[in-house]
Amino acid sequence: MELGMAGLGKMGANMTERLVRGGHRVVGFARTPATVDAVVQKGAVGAHSLAEMVQKLTAPRVVWLMLPSGDTVDQTLAQLRPLLAPGDLIVDGGNSYYRDTLRRSALVTSWGFHYVDVGTSGGIWGLQEGYSMMVGGADADVERIRPILETLAPAADRGWGHMGPVGSGHFVKMVHNGIEYGMMQAYAEGFAILQAKSEFALDLHQVALVWRYGSVVRSWLLELTESALADNPTLAGIAPWVVDSGEGRWTVTEAMDLNIPAPIITLSLQQRLRSREQDPFTERLLAMMRNKFGGHDIKKEP
């Protein structure tokens, strides 16, 4: 099967390489020529514009987008509109907000194209391990790209599934990432407690390694934590600054809209926001209030 891959960041490039290895013909497009050249060396066909990518595909076409969420996706769809023909299928494999996916699907369908959303998990390890894919779309559209999904997944019969109509794939991936926030925060807090118990002089890498086998808290995230602690036991040189992709925020918003309590996911998101405060006004104000009502000392900055 053939498809166009628009967006050759690390994940898109790795997906392209996995598809080529699986016998698919992939026409890869990125704005940076060196990025295109890199996937060509892996066996893909290169394109240096969306028009060239579409031209090198046989109708009816499949165009897979691996782009950052937001305006970039909308702009790319607008550019694709005059290039594609009725019956062509667009797949959004990035981390788009599912409400945007619903809007885009209605728009793209009005142009005569088909639309499928694929929430994709696997990160930089997907090339070797395969990707977990949560797919939303019409039955016929999902069946049409089944060979692609089966190649990208860890195995043809596992690691991917048709979640429901358009939007459901990105919705499930959104919640998946919200859960990920909570799991990461729990591991981080637990290891911080272990590290603080200085009289035991615990080897955190050894703890993570022991927990990887047989423990009820074993997971792939723990495997990555163990690997990181093996490389850098004291986390030297790593700033306590944690970014968020936006999906944790969307999950919290959705939970509130549905009247579903989600304190762990919400607090883990708040902790990420707190990690970026270089001058925490909140704590300064708390210290001042405590001094005002109780006369407690205020620690002065050096």
Side-chain angles (χ1 to χ4, degrees):
M1 186 172 181
E2 71 167 17
L3 72 153
M5 179 69 72
L8 297 175
K10 186 65 175 178
M11 195 165 178
N14 284 349
M15 293 173 72
T16 295
E17 183 175 348
R18 188 173 175 92
L19 288 167
V20 170
R21 289 181 183 179
H24 300 277
R25 179 178 182 270
V26 183
V27 181
F29 161 70
R31 289 177 293 181
T32 307
T35 304
V36 177
D37 294 341
V39 297
V40 170
Q41 292 177 4
K42 300 293 185 179
V45 178
H48 295 286
S49 69
L50 284 173
E52 183 183 356
M53 181 192 71
V54 172
Q55 185 180 27
K56 290 183 175 181
L57 295 171
T58 304
R61 308 168 187 86
V62 173
V63 174
W64 190 297
L65 308 181
M66 286 303 295
L67 302 170
S69 63
D71 291 341
T72 302
V73 179
D74 290 307
Q75 293 168 9
T76 302
L77 291 176
Q79 293 169 28
L80 284 171
R81 181 182 183 182
L83 302 174
L84 298 178
D88 289 345
L89 171 62
I90 299 174
V91 180
D92 183 356
N95 281 335
S96 291
Y97 187 25
Y98 85 96
R99 294 183 186 272
D100 288 335
T101 299
L102 294 173
R103 170 180 57 80
R104 290 169 183 147
S105 175
L107 182 63
V108 167
T109 301
S110 73
W111 298 341
F113 312 146
H114 300 260
Y115 206 73
V116 170
D117 56 296
V118 179
T120 310
S121 180
I124 60 175
W125 295 92
L127 176 59
Q128 290 79 25
E129 304 292 334
Y131 297 89
S132 172
M133 291 170 293
M134 297 137 265
V135 187
D139 291 346
D141 292 337
V142 175
E143 191 63 29
R144 179 173 165 184
I145 62 171
R146 173 183 286 271
I148 299 172
L149 300 170
E150 291 179 343
T151 301
L152 289 173
D157 60 348
R158 66 175 183 269
W160 75 276
H162 185 184
M163 302 292 104
V166 166
S168 62
H170 282 154
F171 181 82
V172 174
K173 177 57 163 52
M174 176 190 74
V175 177
H176 163 283
N177 280 29
I179 293 170
E180 178 185 290
Y181 279 36
M183 292 175 65
M184 292 173 68
Q185 185 66 32
Y187 279 130
E189 291 176 6
F191 277 94
I193 295 168
L194 295 172
Q195 190 269 342
K197 195 67 173 175
S198 57
E199 61 263 41
F200 286 161
L202 296 170
D203 182 341
L204 299 188
H205 170 250
Q206 181 193 36
V207 173
L209 188 60
V210 168
W211 284 355
R212 278 186 57 187
Y213 302 97
S215 166
V216 295
V217 299
R218 65 187 183 274
S219 73
W220 185 55
L221 281 174
L222 183 60
E223 290 181 35
L224 297 177
T225 302
E226 182 264 317
S227 176
L229 289 170
D231 296 336
N232 188 354
T234 63
L235 307 183
I238 299 176
W241 177 285
V242 187
V243 301
D244 71 281
S245 63
E247 294 198 272
R249 300 177 186 226
W250 301 336
T251 304
V252 171
T253 299
E254 196 68 28
M256 291 189 293
D257 288 346
L258 295 171
N259 293 318
I260 299 295
I264 292 174
I265 296 174
T266 303
L267 288 175
S268 66
L269 171 63
Q270 294 295 331
Q271 282 296 112
R272 294 194 180 200
L273 300 179
R274 172 57 59 86
S275 77
R276 299 172 222 163
E277 290 192 17
Q278 296 181 349
D279 187 16
F281 181 82
T282 305
E283 280 72 19
R284 292 174 183 271
L285 188 59
L286 285 172
M288 183 275 292
M289 286 190 290
R290 191 166 181 267
N291 172 261
K292 289 296 184 183
F293 73 71
H296 301 286
D297 291 340
I298 294 178
K299 183 178 179 179
K300 301 294 184 179
E301 288 185 328

